[in-house]
Amino acid sequence: MVIKKIKEEKVKDLDIRKEADILKKLHHPYLPQVYDFLIIDGEVFTVMDFIDGHNLGWYMESGTVFSEQQLLQMLLELCEVLEYLHTRKPPVIYRDLKPSNVMKKPDGKLVLIDFGAAREYRRYSDGDTVLLGTRGYAAPEQYESQGQTDARTDIYSLGVMLFELVTGESPHRLCPVRKIRPELSAGLESILEICT
């Protein structure tokens, strides 16, 4: 278990209680378990599982380019956790899928962390109240002031992130992956193009 102090600028920008409340309701092997949310002397903390390992951004920075087989395993695990989130009542839209928000544990399993941008989907809402996401990974609707994010938002970001992991290229330069790595399968290329 770990006690995580929330940075002051995040406390000002986001409803931290909302993030903790969302996480406390979720129970999945690819998500950290959040036990409590505390405010002590004006500082905000969450009590949650400690996730041992490195985030996928760390692997990218160390020069790792994942094989197709490794990528497919990650794809299966991330699709499983996204399906879990998207089938909650109400659905949870993650909205910030990127390498630094996915931990790889020593056993190779992934854990999706940092729910600061997550929101519960409201079917009859006209739009998101706050536009969030990370440039390059965020779906186009995350930059628009009208419309709301939904499960497709997370699928787009999944495709962008997997593109970066398998090519080592910036997500700002999306193209068919076999232009960069011709040895990859047409099937993988098709999956990533459908996502994005």
Side-chain angles (χ1 to χ4, degrees):
M1 207 175 309
V2 65
I3 297 175
K4 175 183 166 186
K5 180 179 178 187
I6 309 299
K7 294 179 183 173
E8 190 173 330
E9 61 270 12
K10 280 190 86 174
V11 172
K12 291 176 185 171
D13 294 340
L14 301 173
D15 183 354
I16 299 302
R17 186 178 299 277
K18 179 191 69 136
E19 174 186 355
D21 288 343
I22 288 173
L23 275 169
K24 282 168 58 174
K25 293 188 266 184
L26 301 175
H27 304 283
H28 191 278
Y30 301 145
L31 296 175
Q33 181 62 53
V34 171
Y35 302 101
D36 210 349
F37 168 82
L38 310 166
I39 300 174
I40 302 171
D41 296 329
E43 296 186 306
V44 181
F45 301 88
T46 54
V47 181
M48 61 193 305
D49 283 339
F50 172 74
I51 309 299
D52 191 22
H54 296 286
N55 69 50
L56 295 180
W58 179 87
Y59 288 96
M60 302 273 324
E61 289 172 11
S62 67
T64 301
V65 177
F66 294 96
S67 71
E68 183 167 347
Q69 190 60 38
Q70 290 171 311
L71 192 78
L72 290 173
Q73 182 59 42
M74 287 185 226
L75 175 63
L76 290 173
E77 290 180 23
L78 291 170
C79 283
E80 183 181 320
V81 73
L82 288 176
E83 178 186 28
Y84 172 79
L85 293 173
H86 297 161
T87 57
R88 299 303 88 212
K89 302 263 188 264
V92 175
I93 311 304
Y94 181 71
R95 300 196 308 170
D96 201 20
L97 191 56
K98 59 186 177 183
S100 62
N101 285 345
V102 180
M103 294 290 291
K104 186 173 187 192
K105 299 189 312 185
D107 67 2
K109 297 292 183 193
L110 302 180
V111 177
L112 191 58
I113 61 169
D114 193 350
F115 274 66
R119 67 181 283 272
E120 291 180 334
Y121 177 77
R122 293 174 299 279
R123 184 175 178 189
Y124 298 107
S125 175
D126 289 337
D128 292 352
T129 53
V130 178
L131 302 177
L132 293 172
T134 301
R135 191 164 297 285
Y137 301 97
E141 63 270 17
Q142 289 178 268
Y143 297 110
E144 299 170 0
S145 59
Q146 303 208 351
Q148 74 170 310
T149 53
D150 60 24
R152 295 170 294 180
T153 304
D154 290 339
I155 299 303
Y156 177 88
S157 298
L158 175 65
V160 171
M161 184 183 76
L162 294 174
F163 167 86
E164 182 181 22
L165 292 173
V166 79
T167 65
E169 294 290 323
S170 165
H172 299 285
R173 300 177 36 169
L174 286 178
C175 66
V177 292
R178 295 191 317 153
K179 283 188 174 183
I180 298 168
R181 290 188 59 191
E183 74 277 11
L184 297 174
S185 71
L188 176 62
E189 184 172 86
S190 178
I191 290 169
L192 298 182
E193 288 180 350
I194 290 168
C195 289
T196 57

